[in-house]
Amino acid sequence: MKVEQLTEPLAYHGEGPVWSDAWGGLRWLDMLAGDVLSLASAGTVRRRHISTVVAAVRPRRQGGAVIGVERGFALEEADGTVTVLDSLWSDERVRMNEGGCDPDGRFYCGSMAYDTRQGAGSLYRLDPDGSTTTVLDAVTISNGLEWSPDGSRAYYVDTATDRIDVFDYDREGGLSGRRPFVAVPGGPGGPDGLTVDAEDGVWVALYGGGSVHRYAPDGALDEVVQLPVTKVTACTFGGPGLDRLFITTSREHLEPGAEPEAGALFTCAPGVRGVAVREFAG
């Protein structure tokens, strides 16, 4: 599957791509710069600084966006005003990393230690009424999270486990019954951000592995997208027909001059459609 480079390598640590018609197309993150990037129709990129770190972003049903920031959550209003909510913790060695919305409009974001020490992270949930809940404790690098098309299951990555897990999901019980979905093959690259297509295939970026893998509903590896850079971070479906896969990359910890395309945004035609982004109900 051939990938096309869409932008210059303008992100240090590109992450978290999301397509929403509500905000006019694709947004993604320069995570450690604290910036949200937007792809304009002419191919130009707009950059907006939000906070020290921006870990995840999703549209709000009332307009604007919900955002994971360094130690908690923020709300963007339809007019662009951003309000950072109270911090969930005080430890400056820990930051938010990745997240997503469930079928009932609640926003999740998970954390990790800057030094990636084991068990320092958690997965948090922001409800539409502004209350927060700790969903998981003792994770190391809380990463990709997305629900199946019918909303009955959620796929989740703690990168340190080298696997994708699956949960059962319902509104009252939340996430339950955690179990392995697939072990990512050994070698360079760990599972990072993920997305799910309309056929319940799971697409996961391999950070350090230079590729995106698609796993069929039975866990079989049935597609590999190769990229010209090693640090592949996340992917999402977008375009008017949700038939393009957008892939973010990073140049974090690379030597100057190494992998000159690292930090660029890439795309390909995967031959399957995605599912419309789930919005935050608050």
Side-chain angles (χ1 to χ4, degrees):
M1 190 179 298
K2 185 178 180 180
V3 296
E4 173 190 356
Q5 183 177 334
L6 278 183
T7 72
E8 296 300 313
L10 45 77
Y12 176 70
H13 188 60
E15 266 283 7
V18 180
W19 180 279
S20 173
D21 292 336
W23 58 34
L26 189 77
R27 292 185 184 180
W28 73 108
L29 312 173
D30 195 349
M31 180 183 281
L32 301 178
D35 295 345
V36 175
L37 309 178
S38 303
L39 186 66
S41 57
T44 59
V45 176
R46 296 190 299 270
R47 178 184 290 264
R48 184 182 183 201
H49 184 70
I50 300 295
S51 185
T52 307
V53 169
V54 285
V57 61
R58 290 294 185 277
R60 298 172 71 186
R61 291 178 187 171
Q62 66 184 47
V66 60
I67 307 168
V69 293
E70 187 173 29
R71 292 193 290 279
F73 299 107
L75 296 175
E76 179 192 47
E77 304 299 333
D79 65 2
T81 303
V82 175
T83 301
V84 177
L85 306 183
D86 292 341
S87 295
L88 298 177
W89 66 88
S90 59
D91 187 347
E92 296 182 355
R93 300 172 298 172
V94 176
R95 66 169 175 84
M96 285 293 203
N97 190 57
E98 178 64 282
C101 283
D102 71 24
D104 294 293
R106 299 177 291 195
F107 181 60
Y108 298 66
C109 203
S111 64
M112 60 174 284
Y114 279 100
D115 65 2
T116 70
R117 68 184 182 276
Q118 186 173 358
S122 298
L123 179 65
Y124 302 92
R125 188 184 77 212
L126 175 66
D127 283 17
D129 64 4
S131 62
T132 58
T133 302
T134 302
V135 177
L136 294 175
D137 275 322
V139 299
T140 300
I141 303 176
S142 190
N143 228 312
L145 174 66
E146 188 55 89
W147 275 256
S148 60
D150 67 3
S152 67
R153 283 161 287 112
Y155 299 96
Y156 173 70
V157 167
D158 177 357
T159 299
T161 66
D162 288 324
R163 67 174 188 262
I164 304 168
D165 287 344
V166 61
F167 292 85
D168 298 315
Y169 174 78
D170 64 70
R171 180 179 178 85
E172 291 72 29
L175 301 176
S176 63
R178 182 178 182 177
R179 56 203 180 271
F181 170 62
V182 67
V184 175
D192 201 323
L194 62 77
T195 193
V196 180
D197 64 39
E199 299 175 4
D200 206 13
V202 179
W203 299 74
V204 62
L206 296 189
Y207 187 81
S211 62
V212 175
H213 285 187
R214 181 190 192 263
Y215 293 94
D218 65 359
L221 175 63
D222 67 357
E223 186 66 74
V224 176
V225 181
Q226 297 286 354
L227 282 93
V229 298
T230 56
K231 295 178 182 289
V232 184
T233 54
C235 54
T236 197
F237 285 89
L242 296 177
D243 57 357
R244 302 291 300 183
L245 191 69
F246 294 93
I247 305 166
T248 52
T249 65
S250 171
R251 59 175 309 99
E252 185 182 19
H253 304 315
L254 289 177
E255 294 294 328
E259 300 187 23
E261 301 96 341
L265 177 72
F266 295 84
T267 189
C268 66
V272 65
R273 296 179 186 274
V275 178
V277 62
R278 292 181 171 94
E279 298 176 329
F280 180 57

